[in-house]
Amino acid sequence: MQLNDYLNQLENLQNVHPVLIEMERYGKSLNFPILNRLSARLVSIISLMNKAEYVFEIGSGFGYSAMWISIYNDYLKEIHLTDYMFQNLEMATEFFRIAGLENKLRTHLGDGISILESMNMEFDLILNDAEKTQYLRVLEVVKKKLKVGGIFISDNALWHQKVLKEDENDKETLTIREFNRKIFSDKSFISSLVPIGDGIIVSIKVM
Ligand SMILES: C[S@@+](CC[C@H](N)C(=O)[O-])C[C@H]1O[C@@H](n2cnc3c(N)ncnc32)[C@H](O)[C@@H]1O
């Protein structure tokens, strides 16, 4: 058995909220890229462990990862979702309404990095699932908008394993490689790359 099959087999022993199952079905029907469920579960646990009250996501799609962050975390006060596409945020709003969490939801249409930069507050948890070529800009802005003790999570840190291959040098791969190197060298963060899904970097801001 492959490692991933074993991890999924264990994951499947756990309950999943019906709205998350519905969202997975919706994503599949549109072939819409969403967080791998193993990664989403980890993000969800971290949100609860951190007792995150104020959360921001760059690149929310129709809200699947945001729902995982919200649905098991009763400490949550506000979760800010961003996307370029109005239809995605509209679907996210509908799913949050179904889950009874619409009072915690704030949606912003446009570039999530600029929106985060313009926010007059700091966050307990920031999730980054932006376009991969934007990751270095994300890091600059997140450093200013995350509380000390706050958590920064970035998806696609392995970028389909391309970061491992020296002959893969497209713009996305080069940026993710540089992003990974930068965040691990940054003394403001303590980081760990967890090789589940497409690789997820979990960082805590320590200064
Ligand atoms: C991989 S999908 C997001 C999936 C979502 N995080 C989830 O797991 O459910 C990426 C989404 O981010 C949006 N996006 C990418 N870069 C963005 C940015 N800088 N600002 C706002 N939205 C962005 C895209 O429009 C797309 O809907």
Side-chain angles (χ1 to χ4, degrees):
M1 184 186 281
Q2 301 285 312
L3 175 62
N4 236 20
D5 296 333
Y6 184 64
L7 296 178
N8 283 317
Q9 202 181 74
L10 290 176
E11 166 56 37
N12 289 335
L13 297 174
Q14 302 193 83
N15 289 333
V16 180
H17 193 286
V19 79
L20 293 167
I21 303 275
E22 187 55 37
M23 293 177 94
E24 287 174 359
R25 274 201 206 107
Y26 176 76
K28 204 167 182 188
S29 74
L30 296 179
N31 214 8
F32 193 103
I34 55 176
L35 247 68
N36 172 284
R37 197 196 279 176
L38 297 174
S39 308
R41 174 79 71 184
L42 178 65
V43 171
S44 176
I45 293 168
I46 291 168
S47 163
L48 185 54
M49 285 171 75
N50 181 247
K51 300 183 179 168
E53 295 182 348
Y54 296 95
V55 177
F56 195 97
E57 184 178 24
I58 305 169
S60 304
F62 62 90
Y64 175 73
S65 44
M67 185 66 78
W68 271 99
I69 289 172
S70 310
I71 206 152
Y72 299 114
N73 176 7
D74 288 341
Y75 299 96
L76 184 76
K77 294 204 167 108
E78 289 177 12
I79 181 159
H80 293 253
L81 273 62
T82 61
D83 207 277
Y84 293 129
M85 305 279 294
F86 176 72
Q87 299 93 305
N88 289 341
L89 295 175
E90 204 173 36
M91 273 317 290
T93 305
E94 177 59 11
F95 283 120
F96 269 72
R97 192 193 59 73
I98 293 168
L101 292 170
E102 68 273 37
N103 59 330
K104 302 193 172 170
L105 180 68
R106 309 285 184 272
T107 57
H108 309 263
L109 183 64
D111 171 32
I113 310 170
S114 310
I115 294 163
L116 177 60
E117 192 158 34
S118 72
M119 298 293 292
N120 265 331
M121 60 190 287
E122 289 183 330
F123 291 89
D124 300 300
L125 193 160
I126 300 176
L127 176 60
N128 170 29
D129 201 3
E131 279 171 30
K132 306 314 144 193
T133 53
Q134 302 174 328
Y135 270 34
L136 296 175
R137 209 176 126 231
V138 169
L139 182 55
E140 272 172 40
V141 175
V142 164
K143 275 179 82 164
K144 294 187 267 182
K145 297 294 174 179
L146 189 65
K147 289 178 190 169
V148 172
I151 305 289
F152 175 40
I153 300 175
S154 276
D155 194 30
N156 307 110
L158 293 176
W159 196 233
H160 317 295
Q161 310 279 326
K162 282 180 166 190
V163 292
L164 312 176
K165 297 175 189 149
E166 278 175 21
D167 56 341
E168 294 282 3
N169 287 305
D170 58 90
K171 212 167 167 210
E172 281 90 357
T173 308
L174 287 174
T175 308
I176 301 268
R177 246 190 233 125
E178 176 65 2
F179 170 85
N180 292 351
R181 208 191 51 75
K182 268 208 150 128
I183 194 156
F184 272 82
S185 315
D186 194 321
K187 301 281 180 285
S188 317
F189 293 105
I190 299 173
S191 300
S192 179
L193 197 170
V194 187
I196 53 174
D198 195 23
I200 189 154
I201 293 187
V202 181
S203 308
I204 181 163
K205 185 173 161 183
V206 288
M207 60 175 170

